[in-house]
Amino acid sequence: MSLVVVGLEPDRVPLDLLERVAVHEDDLAKVLADLAEAAEVTEVAVVSTCLRTEVYAVVDRFHDGVGHLQRFLAERAGLDLGQLADRMTVGFDDQVADHLFRVAAGLRSAVLGESEVLGQVRRSGEQAVAAQAAGPVLRELFRRAVLAGRRVRSETAISRGSLSLSHVAAELAAEQLGGTLAGRSALVVGAGEMGQGVTRALVAAGARVQVVNRTLARAEALVAEVGAAGALGLGGLRRVLPSAEVVAVCTAGGVPVLEAATLQALRPDAQTPLVVVDLGMPRAVERAVGQLPGVRLFDLEDLRARAQETLGGRRAEVASAEAVVAEELARYRAEQRARGAAPVVAALRRRVEGWQEEALARARRRHPDLTEEQWAAVATVSRDLVARLLHQPSVVLKEAAGTSRGERLVEAARALFGL
């Protein structure tokens, strides 16, 4: 059995490729079911955020399992595996925990230390468990990764400053509009996770924000929570577009929400400058929008580049964050090693203690003249001896579990004691 991760990250592939493999929440249950159908896959979970898509799995045969996950991503991208394999992140066993812990901690994010990815990792694990695609191995891996991410954010200053792509989007829009969003009219399309983040960031910057969403009740709940100006259904989008100075599109359905012809018809004189930020994955704003007079269009690639420019002092916190992650990894691995050896240790203890009880029963039949007090003393001595004999093998098996040496010791224990 092997633990593996196969995925695509923004430092290795362009945005247009990332958006083709992205897994929308509405499709996740089917994707998990399809991945779990493979004979070599026993557990699986998918982490798909705005700038990464990764599949975590427990597989019976390493090469077959990795090949299955690679083919899945290549098919979503519409490419042959040979065209994409070299760009994929592939890790196994200890590398998987190391990678996921750093993802949850924000150490592999476009915005170093971003806050949103921790919630995304947590939900990915919960959704895989709810779909009965993840079992005990992935459930514990994701739980411990989330704990590591929380510790990093509570014990270091790596999240100080621009906490997410949502905050970067607000900063970029303010820069385009004279340095401030105070009193500006802003429109957020989509009330999902990204839409919520952008709405909060724009409201915090002083903008008058209206939220447009397919489900009006969800938009109204967000407006009430953050103190935005108003909520509308998708049918109200055309009505509020002409007066907007900032439009943030945060949908994830793969269908363009904002088209150049529509926007041009609604803003024929283009007197008011307009900043459009496309945070959709896949992108939800037609590229031609950026060519309209008075319109500045930015997408996730632009936000990522901007984030790299504004890291500032948070780079100094990387060492502290890495130290926290290392502590959590060491604790997780120690527990996994102990847990992996536990069945063999328990079987060994049952076998030897069974022998002890059989030996005591035979001795009682041979020596009926001994009193109960004497037999109690004999039993106490024998049990103490068994405990002492089992202590060192148990410790060694637990410490070596999860390693090649541990596998050899387990096989030796099974052969020597008939386990």
Side-chain angles (χ1 to χ4, degrees), residues 104-162:
L107 290 169
R108 298 190 67 89
S109 297
V111 180
L112 186 63
E114 68 157 306
S115 56
E116 290 171 350
V117 71
L118 180 59
Q120 292 165 338
V121 169
R122 175 180 57 79
R123 283 188 294 278
S124 295
E126 291 173 348
Q127 289 165 334
V129 171
Q132 298 184 325
V137 175
L138 289 183
R139 183 167 57 243
E140 182 64 8
L141 172 68
F142 274 74
R143 186 182 75 83
R144 295 306 297 266
V146 170
L147 287 176
R150 287 175 179 164
R151 274 197 63 196
V152 166
R153 285 163 179 80
S154 65
E155 298 178 22
T156 76
I158 198 168
S159 293
R160 185 177 299 153
S162 295

Side-chain angles (χ1 to χ4, degrees), residues 359-397:
L360 284 172
R362 287 194 301 270
R364 287 181 74 105
R365 290 194 295 270
R366 293 193 192 104
H367 302 282
D369 52 321
L370 293 181
T371 65
E372 288 301 317
E373 290 78 7
Q374 289 171 321
W375 279 119
V378 171
T380 297
V381 171
S382 67
R383 290 188 182 113
D384 181 63
L385 179 60
V386 165
R388 289 174 179 271
L389 287 172
L390 288 173
H391 175 72
Q392 186 63 15
S394 299
V395 170
V396 172
L397 283 168

Side-chain angles (χ1 to χ4, degrees), residues 300-352:
L300 286 168
E301 279 287 8
D302 300 312
L303 299 185
R304 178 171 175 255
R306 171 76 177 192
Q308 294 300 313
E309 296 172 359
T310 59
L311 289 178
R314 281 179 293 137
R315 288 191 186 277
E317 290 297 313
V318 170
S320 299
E322 291 280 5
V324 172
V325 168
E327 287 179 12
E328 288 299 320
L329 280 169
R331 187 174 292 114
Y332 167 76
R333 287 166 178 161
E335 291 178 2
Q336 289 301 109
R337 286 196 298 268
R339 187 175 290 112
V344 176
V345 171
L348 176 60
R349 186 171 296 277
R350 287 194 300 270
R351 177 56 56 87
V352 176

Side-chain angles (χ1 to χ4, degrees), residues 271-295:
Q271 293 298 312
T272 305
L274 177 63
V275 179
V276 178
V277 186
D278 184 356
L279 294 104
M281 179 55 76
R283 283 173 286 192
V285 176
E286 191 177 46
R287 297 298 89 194
V289 164
Q291 300 170 10
L292 297 177
V295 178

